[in-house]
Amino acid sequence: MSATEILELSATAATAAVASGALSQGELFGAYLARAEGDRAAGGEGLNCFTWVAEHVPGDGSAPLHGLPIAVKDLFCTEGIPSQAGSRILEDYRPPYTATVVSALQSAGVSLLAKTNQDEFAMGSSNENSAFGAVRNPWDRGRVPGGSSGGSAAAVAAGLAPWALGTDTGGSIRQPAALCGIVGLKPTYGAVSRYGMIAFASSLDQAGPLTRDVADAALMLRHMVGQDECDATSLAFPGEIEPPTAERLDGIRIGVAEELASEGIQAGVVEAFEGALTRAEELGAQLQPVSLPHAPHALSAYYVLAPAECSSNLARFDGVRYGSRAADARDLLEMYTRTRHDGFGAEVKRRIMLGTYALSAGYYEAFYGRAQRVRTKISEDFATAFASVDFIVTPTSPTVAFKLGERTGDPLSMYMSDYCTVPMSLAGIPAISIPCGLSEGLPVGLQITGPAFSENRLLDVAHALERALEFDSQRARV
Ligand code: GLN
């Protein structure tokens, strides 16, 4: 097979090609390694997707995924390999162990191709908060790929990796998937282990696939789910993740979330979204409006809860337990202060300050306690809606990919990028983004969400729609 033919294969097709003997594991890995090295070598001219690339082609294995290369977000611990969470404070940190989901995928046969660039500690929506530089969107290099799993999304969209692993706290898989024209899935909270993921907000963080198509997302998730004794919040997945097969949506009731589908959403995004709704109807789905009355408050609650959890999680980076220690401090306090001053970027510091304030004795009830109550209301809204519909759809991102630098000076406008994705994170329910069309020549994402542990049915619905929408992702290949 020629390199071009290899690069056209989805992860599922590449595995099948290796299994049939049409392609060797070495050829497959080698083709992607050359691409990934090319992006690294291009420096400022490239996409800046990767923070580490494999040094050689690994030997053959016999597990079901046949040595398929995978790109993994920087914040997953990988034994002996830099795992820096996009932060200066963890520069060249090489963990002594590997995150459970990564080792589960490795046991299933994948080989680590690269670590991907990301917003520092997964805080961001544009991948401009990385200590290792911004990532560019392969559809238009003057634009952001979305964040925080921007390196993973851009690498898959550009064909520099067959698939990639990301994490999603408030939208960081779905939003970059939407902005880069690929598929991104955030699983039900607890379906996958968080052990070995460098934590941002533990009650929200989940790992998930970024892939070229829905079948690949199912294939990756199949090898990720499961209870892990190292993560007390993980749960056994009921059954297995199956390859999606649905081609029709007959009898499926799809709710259109009124609060998340019009106000503040770019006209071109609404147009592509409505086009997807028409396709869904043609496939036999019944559409009906649903209300999520508290969803407009999700972002406010999230920006209290996530910083509160981050201020606690990031306390460990003190130059003693973790983090590169500032040199030449005169005493302990100066060492802590300088380590954290030099090691963390501006957005991380902003969140630590916000979170520490929200958790302080006098304000705890007014901020943290109230945000938790809003979170409960949001979960209840979804539960009520799912009594009358099977799934709910929204646009994934209110806008298409924006220009580099456009929102860096205005944190609130950056936070708005996750307006449609944060409610599902607070409710702990699964949600997938699939590309549904173009606006201004840039991809638009459709988000589909369902009740906890509905992944198999969700993947089926996404698969049927993906077939009908026939989105052409070739244009982003570099
Ligand atoms: N953009 C959101 C934030 O900055 C979500 C990030 C994420 O999901 N990791 O917090």
Side-chain angles (χ1 to χ4, degrees), residues 23-159:
L23 177 64
S24 78
Q25 293 185 27
E27 279 170 323
L28 173 60
F29 197 93
Y32 280 103
L33 185 56
R35 309 258 303 153
E37 280 171 343
D39 188 59
R40 285 281 273 175
E45 301 297 303
L47 298 173
N48 196 25
C49 295
F50 302 122
T51 49
W52 174 89
V53 170
E55 272 131 35
H56 49 79
V57 177
D60 285 6
S62 56
L65 295 177
H66 299 289
L68 195 68
I70 190 168
V72 170
K73 191 174 181 178
D74 196 20
L75 64 66
F76 287 92
C77 286
T78 42
E79 187 181 342
I81 289 167
S83 305
Q84 312 160 116
S87 185
R88 194 62 68 205
I89 208 163
L90 280 176
E91 193 161 1
D92 208 33
Y93 169 61
R94 291 166 192 256
Y97 71 104
T98 296
T100 300
V101 289
V102 178
S103 54
L105 283 161
Q106 285 172 325
S107 304
V110 304
S111 298
L112 187 59
L113 171 73
K115 296 296 286 286
T116 60
N117 200 349
Q118 61 163 91
D119 282 304
E120 185 174 11
F121 289 105
M123 298 174 199
S125 309
S126 68
N127 220 123
E128 292 166 292
N129 293 339
S130 169
F132 307 103
V135 175
R136 294 162 184 276
N137 190 317
W139 289 80
D140 174 347
R141 282 156 188 255
R143 290 177 188 263
V144 305
S148 63
S149 310
S152 290
V156 174

Side-chain angles (χ1 to χ4, degrees), residues 78-327:
T78 42
E79 187 181 342
I81 289 167
S83 305
Q84 312 160 116
S87 185
R88 194 62 68 205
I89 208 163
L90 280 176
E91 193 161 1
D92 208 33
Y93 169 61
R94 291 166 192 256
Y97 71 104
T98 296
T100 300
V101 289
V102 178
S103 54
L105 283 161
Q106 285 172 325
S107 304
V110 304
S111 298
L112 187 59
L113 171 73
K115 296 296 286 286
T116 60
N117 200 349
Q118 61 163 91
D119 282 304
E120 185 174 11
F121 289 105
M123 298 174 199
S125 309
S126 68
N127 220 123
E128 292 166 292
N129 293 339
S130 169
F132 307 103
V135 175
R136 294 162 184 276
N137 190 317
W139 289 80
D140 174 347
R141 282 156 188 255
R143 290 177 188 263
V144 305
S148 63
S149 310
S152 290
V156 174
L160 303 178
W163 59 359
L165 196 52
T167 64
D168 191 309
T169 304
S172 280
I173 289 175
R174 291 161 284 161
Q175 186 257 10
L179 270 44
C180 289
I182 61 166
V183 172
L185 170 69
K186 181 200 89 72
T188 303
Y189 185 80
V192 298
S193 169
R194 287 181 296 107
Y195 183 65
M197 268 164 56
I198 297 170
F200 164 15
S202 308
S203 77
L204 297 155
D205 297 344
Q206 281 293 278
L210 288 127
T211 56
R212 290 188 196 170
D213 63 27
V214 177
D216 281 1
L219 180 65
M220 191 189 295
L221 188 64
R222 180 186 178 90
H223 297 287
M224 289 172 65
V225 293
Q227 192 158 26
D228 177 9
E229 62 180 22
C230 298
D231 174 4
T233 60
S234 66
L235 292 158
F237 195 86
E240 281 200 6
I241 300 290
E242 303 291 348
T245 52
E247 295 179 10
R248 300 271 314 164
L249 297 175
D250 297 304
I252 308 261
R253 296 164 306 166
I254 295 184
V256 183
E258 283 170 344
E259 292 82 359
L260 302 176
S262 54
E263 207 187 318
I265 316 278
Q266 263 176 4
V269 171
V270 172
E271 201 178 306
F273 173 69
E274 285 174 350
L277 297 183
T278 308
R279 289 285 98 72
E281 269 185 317
E282 286 163 7
L283 294 176
Q286 296 159 20
L287 299 185
Q288 66 185 73
V290 289
S291 177
L292 300 170
H294 299 89
H297 303 294
L299 214 54
S300 315
Y302 173 87
Y303 277 99
V304 172
L305 298 173
E309 293 189 30
C310 112
S311 72
S312 166
N313 272 326
L314 270 55
R316 74 192 65 168
F317 301 99
D318 57 7
V320 179
R321 291 170 293 172
Y322 289 94
S324 38
R325 180 180 302 181

Side-chain angles (χ1 to χ4, degrees), residues 318-338:
D318 57 7
V320 179
R321 291 170 293 172
Y322 289 94
S324 38
R325 180 180 302 181
D328 306 326
R330 278 166 310 192
D331 56 27
L332 185 64
L333 189 61
E334 188 182 321
M335 190 281 288
Y336 285 154
T337 316
R338 290 215 348 235

